[in-house]
Amino acid sequence: MPARVVVAMAADPSSHVNAQSLKVPAISIKPIDIDLSDNDSVLRDDSDSMTSDCESERDTTEKHIKQDTCKEATTPTLSSSQSTEPQQEDEQIAYDGKKLPPPKTIAEVSEGIMEVLARYRLVHQNDINKPWAARPMFRNQVQRFVTRQEPVLLSLPAFPFKSPNKTTKVLGTLPDKGEEVALSHLQGLCSAIKDVYEQGANVYIVSDGLMYNGKKSESFRRHCEYLLTPSTDILGISDAETWRYGEALAKMAIDCGCENIKFLRLPMLLGEDADGPRTEEEYLREVAHFRDGIIDRYLPSGFDVEAHIKKDTDSTLTYRGYIKFLETDLAERPADAEPKSKSQLKKIHEEIAKKMIVRGKAFAASIAQNIPEYVRLSIHASTETTKLSMSLLPQLGRAFTPWHSSLVRAVDGSITMSHARAVPALTHELIFDSRGQPSYFRERSPLFSWPGMDVEFNYVYPTGLVITPRDPSAKYSLQDVHMQKVRALSEACSPVILKNFVDSP
């Protein structure tokens, strides 16, 4: 008996979680055309917005970055050959004989892209009701790409490594469901831009992890001798752990079908081989060279970190944020560590935050000088004078990054981020991935209890739920499925897709 796929939709679309309330592009729920010739067939709607397979291989495209670089915009409007719509004969006449609207101008297309970026923007709490002052600056950047009919390129320094506090904050050392949703959210940004601009967009992730670990280099010692403490690194994360996190993240992007998410390797910032280290051994052998090179080349001579924090508003905000998360990141001290008073710990956290500002300054300068045309994204709240602040996840409540917290799903699919220890076991259960690694927390509900069936419930981005037998060889009959539970789930998080079930036992 062939396997079947059943799609359950909410009768009232407003009854399930609203995508717009989660700051993700709104989607239209449509019937899904499914090829049942293969039990592992890909699920897609006719806009290709729900893709569960991966056809691309890791795109180490740093050596092609220069080809993506934009020049100054000079053309005020799109010519007919530059129209963002496919060219047709007599394209101004529709099939019903009515005139089609003229092609959009460069300014109109650029403004459409800005509307997308505004939906993903992380607004500082003091600016929520204020006009977006930096919008014209970012629109000018975007317009340069549109004028040349090139993909909009965005850079994002992020995804360093998991928090040092594996006891109370995060679930392990490798990327989990939090990073998966974050990557899907970034891909959603690129897809939403493509909806209004044919050339689309690419996000280049530049992991800054190696800047915040490793033994103190001579470069750092020369620049910041007065900040040194007896410890051998900044946050206690090894270079090997940083490498493994980054490699797992890149693989996750491939597995999730995030075709517009690229990874820019650090040698590119030093003008060296763009491919960089290909193995962990090579990375560990060369990482100190990369770290020293960025600090030596890009940190301003005589840089005074304390003066910089006082006069630069963005650095002040970042510095305060660092101190806040260091309180929990470094809370798990070794048992044999010398006891510290609150004032001593506060001083240590302030010194570490200053070190991070110093290395972050050099790292940011390396990005600005090597890829200046890219729209610079940031995970930190800022004045947006040089970078566009955005939230990495469509989350409710306080904004956390996935490497400083754990993902929590409600039954309706809505997301909150929380320190792992703060999630109550009475109301939530820990969900493991296919490798047996802890992945995220899910709200407990009888809707997830299917007697006689061992099934998996996988939430998809931006909304929906796929239910499959955990064992691919299992032959569960649709006749035995509790359809009232399916209906209840679809009212909470539509659509619900039952995949690889059979018509009869």
Side-chain angles (χ1 to χ4, degrees):
M1 180 65 62
R4 293 290 304 277
V5 177
V6 174
V7 181
M9 307 279 188
D12 177 8
S14 65
S15 65
H16 64 77
V17 61
N18 188 312
Q20 187 63 30
S21 70
L22 298 182
K23 299 183 180 179
V24 300
I27 65 168
S28 57
I29 304 299
K30 293 172 283 189
I32 297 177
D33 297 324
I34 300 170
D35 179 5
L36 295 179
S37 61
D38 186 340
N39 291 357
D40 297 322
S41 59
V42 179
L43 304 184
R44 304 176 189 267
D45 70 4
D46 53 14
S47 66
D48 228 10
S49 64
M50 292 179 61
T51 305
S52 63
D53 73 335
C54 168
E55 298 171 352
S56 62
E57 296 184 358
R58 180 175 183 183
D59 187 1
T60 53
T61 56
E62 293 78 7
K63 56 189 173 186
H64 302 301
I65 287 177
K66 292 183 180 178
Q67 298 175 6
D68 289 333
T69 304
C70 296
K71 298 179 181 178
E72 292 293 324
T74 56
T75 308
T77 59
L78 291 172
S79 66
S80 59
S81 63
Q82 289 178 309
S83 169
T84 59
E85 300 298 326
Q87 298 299 305
Q88 305 281 345
E89 267 188 48
D90 300 322
E91 62 179 356
Q92 298 303 313
I93 306 298
Y95 290 113
D96 59 5
K98 295 181 180 179
K99 271 194 173 184
L100 293 173
K104 290 185 177 180
T105 65
I106 288 175
E108 290 171 334
V109 172
S110 301
E111 188 58 32
I113 296 171
M114 291 306 300
E115 288 296 321
V116 174
L117 291 174
R119 295 209 301 268
Y120 285 77
R121 181 173 166 241
L122 176 64
V123 184
H124 190 273
Q125 59 183 2
N126 295 332
D127 299 329
I128 291 177
N129 297 317
K130 296 180 182 179
W132 187 5
R135 185 170 185 143
M137 179 191 71
F138 290 115
R139 184 173 57 237
N140 288 339
Q141 280 188 283
V142 165
Q143 190 162 308
R144 296 189 187 104
F145 293 103
V146 177
T147 299
R148 294 180 57 84
Q149 284 292 280
E150 296 177 349
V152 177
L153 304 179
L154 308 103
S155 64
L156 176 63
F159 300 95
F161 40 71
K162 283 291 192 181
S163 165
N165 187 342
K166 310 298 193 296
T167 304
T168 65
K169 292 186 70 172
V170 296
L171 297 175
T173 62
L174 297 176
D176 53 34
K177 186 62 71 173
E179 279 85 357
E180 181 182 320
V181 175
L183 291 173
S184 297
H185 195 53
L186 291 172
Q187 178 61 40
L189 167 64
C190 296
S191 299
I193 290 176
K194 188 170 180 60
D195 286 342
V196 299
Y197 175 49
E198 185 180 11
Q199 303 303 321
N202 294 321
V203 172
Y204 283 84
I205 293 173
V206 194
S207 175
D208 50 358
L210 97 168
M211 296 303 297
Y212 303 115
N213 337 257
K215 294 180 179 179
K216 295 185 180 76
S217 63
E218 287 304 312
S219 300
F220 191 72
R221 189 176 298 277
R222 289 195 302 272
H223 286 291
C224 304
E225 181 70 34
Y226 70 99
L227 286 178
L228 296 179
T229 60
S231 61
T232 58
D233 59 13
I234 291 184
L235 294 176
I237 301 294
S238 70
D239 288 328
E241 183 176 325
T242 302
W243 165 264
R244 292 165 192 163
Y245 176 88
E247 289 297 291
L249 185 76
K251 182 180 184 302
M252 178 179 280
I254 294 173
D255 293 342
C256 294
C258 297
E259 60 184 3
N260 296 110
I261 307 303
K262 318 292 183 182
F263 292 86
L264 193 154
R265 291 180 175 268
L266 293 181
M268 169 66 188
L269 303 179
L270 293 173
E272 300 181 7
D273 179 9
D275 287 339
R278 294 172 176 81
T279 66
E280 181 177 337
E281 291 72 20
E282 289 181 5
Y283 176 84
L284 295 178
R285 188 167 57 246
E286 300 176 19
V287 66
H289 162 70
F290 297 144
R291 190 160 39 229
D292 286 0
I294 289 175
I295 294 172
D296 274 339
R297 186 174 301 184
Y298 296 108
L299 187 66
S301 177
F303 179 69
D304 186 334
V305 64
E306 293 182 343
H308 180 70
I309 291 171
K310 288 180 180 178
K311 71 178 182 181
D312 184 76
T313 303
D314 283 349
S315 294
T316 301
L317 291 171
T318 302
Y319 174 68
R320 291 173 180 170
Y322 283 162
I323 291 175
K324 185 68 176 176
F325 79 70
L326 284 170
E327 292 175 1
T328 50
D329 260 16
L330 304 181
E332 297 299 311
R333 298 174 56 79
D336 58 350
E338 181 182 345
K340 302 287 185 183
S341 66
K342 287 186 178 180
S343 60
Q344 287 175 318
L345 288 174
K346 181 176 181 293
K347 183 177 180 181
I348 290 173
H349 296 159
E350 289 172 347
E351 290 181 344
I352 292 175
K354 289 173 187 176
K355 295 179 187 180
M356 296 177 70
I357 291 291
V358 170
R359 293 194 183 185
K361 175 69 174 178
F363 190 69
S366 71
I367 294 174
Q369 291 187 36
N370 283 280
I371 47 176
E373 295 86 2
Y374 288 33
V375 178
R376 170 74 151 77
L377 303 179
S378 175
I379 61 170
H380 300 290
S382 70
T383 59
E384 295 188 314
T385 53
T386 60
K387 52 192 179 183
L388 195 160
S389 299
M390 68 169 292
S391 177
L392 274 182
L393 296 106
Q395 57 189 295
L396 303 174
R398 180 183 172 187
F400 281 98
T401 59
W403 52 91
H404 281 301
S405 58
S406 303
L407 187 140
V408 184
R409 285 271 195 188
V411 173
D412 66 8
S414 58
I415 293 171
T416 54
M417 302 299 291
S418 171
H419 292 171
R421 183 169 286 181
V423 181
L426 286 176
T427 57
H428 293 77
E429 59 182 319
L430 182 59
I431 304 300
F432 294 80
D433 63 19
S434 59
R435 303 165 301 166
Q437 300 299 312
S439 183
Y440 71 103
F441 294 95
R442 187 183 68 200
E443 182 182 2
R444 293 183 184 275
S445 169
L447 297 179
F448 298 121
S449 177
W450 289 28
M453 294 185 180
D454 184 15
V455 294
E456 292 182 330
F457 300 85
N458 295 306
Y459 286 95
V460 293
Y461 179 92
T463 182
L465 191 62
V466 178
I467 305 173
T468 57
R470 195 179 304 276
D471 181 357
S473 64
K475 301 298 181 183
Y476 296 141
S477 171
L478 288 171
Q479 296 176 12
D480 297 328
V481 171
H482 200 306
M483 285 301 174
Q484 288 184 336
K485 291 185 177 182
V486 174
R487 178 175 180 176
L489 286 170
S490 70
E491 292 294 333
C493 185
S494 180
V496 172
I497 301 170
L498 278 68
K499 183 182 179 185
N500 291 344
F501 288 79
V502 297
D503 281 327
S504 60

